[in-house]
Amino acid sequence: MLEIQSARKVFYKGQADEKIALDGLSLKLATGEFAVVIGSNGAGKSSMLNAISGALPLDVGKVLINGDDVTDMPVHKRAARLARVFQDPMKGTAASMTVAENMLLADLRSTRRRLRRGLNAKRLEQYRERLSLLGLGLENRLDTRVELLSGGQRQSLSLIMAVGGDPELLLLDEHTAALDPRTADIVMQATVRAVDALKLTTLMVTHNMQHAVDFGHSVIMLDAGKLRLEISGEEKTTITVPDLIGHFAVKTDRMMLAS
Amino acid sequence: MMDLIQTISSSFVSLIPVTLAQSLILAFVVLGIMIPFRTLNFPDLTSEGAFPLGGCVCGVLLAGGASPLTAIGVALVAGFLAGCCTAFIHLRFRIHTLLAGILMMTMLYSINLRIMGKSNLSVFGAPTVFDWAPFTQPGFPASKIVVAGIIGLVVFLLLDLFFKTEKGTAIRAVGANPDMAEAQGINVWVATIGGVGLASAFSATGGALMVQSQGFADVNMGLGILINGLAALMIGEAIVGKQTVVRQLAAPFVGAVIYYQLVSFCLAAGMPPPDLKLATGLFVLAMLALPSLRRSRGPAQARETIRE
Ligand SMILES: Nc1ncnc2c1ncn2[C@@H]1O[C@H](COP(=O)(O)OP(=O)(O)OP(=O)(O)O)[C@@H](O)[C@H]1O
Ligand SMILES: [Mg+2]
């Protein structure tokens, strides 16, 4: 379970270009719930995810994961409980290291790293198996440095890395936005499969309204750092793309195109 | 003409063993430069201060009658602490790594003087680790080659093992992508401080070995060693590559051996010693500039971490 209690974050406080990223945002996400987060540019979606992961310290408010207050916990400690995939494929992987080494790093996310050999035969076999689920052939490229992979392959790897180890919370920030439609589809399908199979508590940010309609148990809409709308249960199953677009104050061509 | 070539080559050849012994010792410094620059993506100048620090600590201990191994051990710890300080200054105060290194290097100069109490100290005749080389005469290059070579080989093998452990992989991840490393639960501070500390420990070990080899310690003994080390590293990387852990670790050793032979050759060929630093500097500059010269259009991307 995830709980955000009246989170507030102001950038450049007191200056002319003061920006309120989060404005008393409160949110509750039940265990196993898959929520899709929408909202216009600058609404505070990424800020919310950064506040949850610890990358963005809050001015006011609290973050609780499964009842534990993690507000003052540094990023690397929270990592034991949550996993992220970023929009930028470069951000989620170590480019100069191999596919297998990246898998190892994610594998050890919530355990103590010890002074013993990292990549052993057993682990390599596991990684091969997990990567083969993608159907991208990454399982045969364990020794390839990640910088030699395409953006889509890197992003798929990031996803497999994130869902491994059964995190208590999965944070996805427009993780298919930088990919071509076909690869985006592969990554999206893999996401949904993993989230369903592992019953992961998930927050997925997207600007693709079709995705918001098709996937997840609920839709959360942010606006100016606040929770503007929450659609769940029966209502979520019947919602349409035009319904969602209707809730935006400003409509962009991109949303229309995505519908 | 033939005569000239003959004298050059004979004086060069006669110096090969001495130069080899020296280069195997300085390989530790090159290793201490490689780890921050390459593995940790933390361009660092601490080596220039850690090398004489190791030398001064070792010199004082030898003069005080300590065993050569103890002297090296204490020098290593001193170097480790110096590296930790540089990394801490960078992390805590957000000072550029190069500036943090210059700060440490400058402060270490005073500390080194304090440690020795004077600017140089002779420890000629004190026992050294080179006395323990089997089948060789103490004091001759062969004993130094054997001992420095064995220590170097052990360090190389241990580091290769270490960087493939769970902990070692985590440290490499911090250099490759600190944000990602942090998101994977790695404590970036601990890894950086420990890694830079380890690197400086090797530089200090190089200093300690150098003092035992040459029989004296001098506060100025590190002057220009960083650029020499970088030149050696680049030669090593050009020869063995840097794509895998083993290659990256072998580069400092191979590079040091080749670089110092090259220097010796240039001197034998009549290059005035004062010009040496200029030549080395130009060489490093050329190596750094090469990628951007190769690309015909526009400035190169900053792939080399040393360039901004
Ligand atoms: N590091 C930062 N420094 C200054 N202002 C920031 C920073 N990060 C975010 N902001 C500001 O906070 C507000 C919310 O930004 P945020 O990135 O959370 O929006 P978002 O909903 O993710 O938008 P997008 O859909 O464009 O990704 C914006 O006004 C933005 O300019
Ligand atoms: Mg965003």
Side-chain angles (χ1 to χ4, degrees):
Chain A
M1 193 188 67
L2 168 74
E3 203 176 337
I4 302 175
Q5 296 175 350
S6 40
R8 189 175 163 81
K9 177 73 193 181
V10 183
F11 287 104
Y12 313 117
K13 199 176 199 129
Q15 293 173 34
D17 50 356
E18 181 176 284
K19 285 232 163 62
I20 303 177
L22 298 175
D23 190 8
L25 176 75
S26 294
L27 182 78
K28 254 189 185 175
L29 199 63
T31 303
E33 185 177 345
F34 177 5
V36 182
V37 183
I38 58 172
S40 42
N41 293 120
K45 305 180 296 294
S46 298
S47 301
M48 175 175 82
L49 261 53
N50 287 334
I52 296 170
S53 77
L56 187 72
L58 288 174
D59 297 341
V60 187
K62 277 185 182 170
V63 178
L64 287 88
I65 299 176
N66 285 341
D68 302 324
D69 188 346
V70 297
T71 316
D72 298 320
M73 217 185 246
V75 175
H76 68 93
K77 288 237 173 79
R78 287 192 215 192
R81 327 189 71 171
L82 59 87
R84 302 189 72 169
V85 182
F86 300 92
Q87 175 175 354
D88 181 358
M90 313 303 247
K91 257 184 142 177
T93 45
S96 57
M97 298 173 80
T98 66
V99 171
E101 285 169 341
N102 273 274
M103 290 291 286
L104 174 68
L105 291 167
D107 205 8
L108 301 172
R109 190 169 50 228
S110 48
T111 51
R112 250 186 80 81
R113 279 164 218 78
R114 296 201 286 175
L115 217 50
R116 61 170 182 204
R117 194 174 178 80
L119 290 171
N120 53 37
K122 194 171 135 231
R123 280 184 175 147
L124 286 171
E125 193 44 50
Q126 267 177 23
Y127 300 162
R128 203 165 282 133
E129 206 171 293
R130 277 164 52 196
L131 288 167
S132 69
L133 294 177
L134 285 169
L136 289 172
L138 281 178
E139 64 275 18
N140 302 319
R141 304 185 66 183
L142 283 179
D143 291 329
T144 306
R145 274 175 294 121
V146 170
E147 62 200 349
L148 301 176
L149 302 180
S150 72
Q153 289 169 329
R154 282 180 82 159
Q155 202 66 335
S156 310
L157 172 63
S158 301
L159 179 78
I160 295 293
M161 284 163 59
V163 297
D166 213 354
E168 289 171 51
L169 189 61
L170 177 64
L171 305 175
L172 308 168
D173 194 353
E174 297 186 51
H175 70 306
T176 61
L179 310 178
D180 70 70
R182 201 185 70 86
T183 318
D185 204 47
I186 293 177
V187 174
M188 202 56 219
Q189 294 307 330
T191 307
V192 174
R193 244 183 292 139
V195 169
D196 276 351
L198 300 167
K199 307 237 173 317
L200 296 174
T201 312
T202 304
L203 274 179
M204 180 177 85
V205 175
T206 183
H207 282 292
N208 185 325
M209 293 305 127
Q210 194 62 52
H211 284 172
V213 167
D214 292 347
F215 308 121
H217 306 122
S218 58
V219 176
I220 289 165
M221 186 174 167
L222 296 193
D223 184 33
K226 290 196 188 72
L227 186 66
R228 173 172 171 136
L229 183 74
E230 194 169 358
I231 305 164
S232 55
E234 190 67 27
E235 201 188 345
K236 167 73 173 71
T237 55
T238 56
I239 197 116
T240 62
V241 170
D243 292 343
L244 283 179
I245 293 175
H247 289 290
F248 280 85
V250 186
K251 294 163 186 67
T252 63
D253 293 344
R254 199 169 147 214
M255 290 190 291
M256 302 299 180
L257 284 173
S259 60
Chain B
M1 189 62 200
M2 284 313 285
D3 274 1
L4 185 65
I5 293 174
Q6 191 112 45
T7 33
I8 290 174
S9 63
S10 75
S11 67
F12 168 64
V13 168
S14 69
L15 280 173
I16 286 180
V18 183
T19 311
L20 181 61
Q22 195 194 13
S23 63
L24 286 172
I25 292 170
L26 290 168
F28 288 94
V29 187
V30 185
L31 186 66
I33 292 169
M34 183 283 282
I35 292 174
F37 269 89
R38 297 302 192 213
T39 311
L40 296 167
N41 201 1
F42 187 112
D44 180 34
L45 306 177
T46 316
S47 290
E48 186 110 12
F51 177 72
L53 172 68
C56 294
V57 168
C58 177
V60 167
L61 287 174
L62 286 183
S67 91
L69 217 51
T70 313
I72 291 176
V74 178
L76 186 147
V77 172
F80 181 80
L81 292 176
C84 291
C85 288
T86 304
F88 180 80
I89 290 171
H90 163 70
L91 292 166
R92 177 64 185 80
F93 306 113
R94 303 196 176 198
I95 292 171
H96 193 288
T97 61
L98 290 173
L99 187 54
I102 291 174
L103 279 171
M104 264 324 279
M105 186 177 110
T106 308
M107 294 190 287
L108 280 174
Y109 186 83
S110 299
I111 292 174
N112 293 343
L113 263 174
R114 281 273 174 199
I115 290 173
M116 286 213 302
K118 50 187 171 180
S119 62
N120 61 60
L121 177 68
S122 171
V123 289
F124 204 78
T128 73
V129 285
F130 306 116
D131 302 342
W132 302 336
F135 318 116
T136 53
Q137 236 175 314
F140 281 82
S143 66
K144 296 174 186 172
I145 292 169
V146 170
V147 173
I150 289 174
I151 302 176
L153 189 66
V154 169
V155 166
F156 169 77
L157 293 175
L158 283 179
L159 277 180
D160 184 45
L161 279 178
F162 172 69
F163 279 125
K164 288 171 181 162
T165 63
E166 296 177 356
K167 272 198 163 56
T169 309
I171 289 185
R172 285 194 292 133
V174 169
N177 183 347
D179 290 336
M180 177 266 194
E182 203 176 22
Q184 302 300 348
I186 298 162
N187 189 332
V188 172
W189 276 52
V190 170
T192 308
I193 292 176
V196 177
L198 183 73
S200 292
F202 287 129
S203 295
T205 304
L209 286 172
M210 188 51 99
V211 164
Q212 301 197 5
S213 163
Q214 68 192 10
F216 67 91
D218 190 316
V219 283
N220 291 315
M221 65 192 265
L223 208 64
I225 193 137
L226 196 108
I227 293 300
N228 291 320
L230 269 183
L233 178 61
M234 284 167 183
I235 290 175
E237 287 174 347
I239 294 172
V240 299
K242 53 177 177 178
Q243 305 294 27
T244 63
V245 175
V246 187
R247 284 171 187 275
Q248 184 68 79
L249 281 174
F253 294 94
V254 174
V257 168
I258 308 265
Y259 171 72
Y260 285 103
Q261 293 295 349
L262 263 176
V263 170
S264 156
F265 180 80
C266 290
L267 292 176
M271 187 166 87
D275 293 349
L276 197 60
K277 281 198 174 36
L278 180 63
T280 307
L282 287 174
F283 172 77
V284 171
L285 183 61
M287 293 296 273
L288 289 174
L290 210 59
S292 78
L293 291 178
R294 265 199 212 126
R295 222 160 310 188
S296 46
R297 272 163 291 138
Q301 278 182 312
R303 280 215 61 186
E304 183 69 58
T305 51
I306 304 160
R307 265 190 284 134
E308 288 293 336

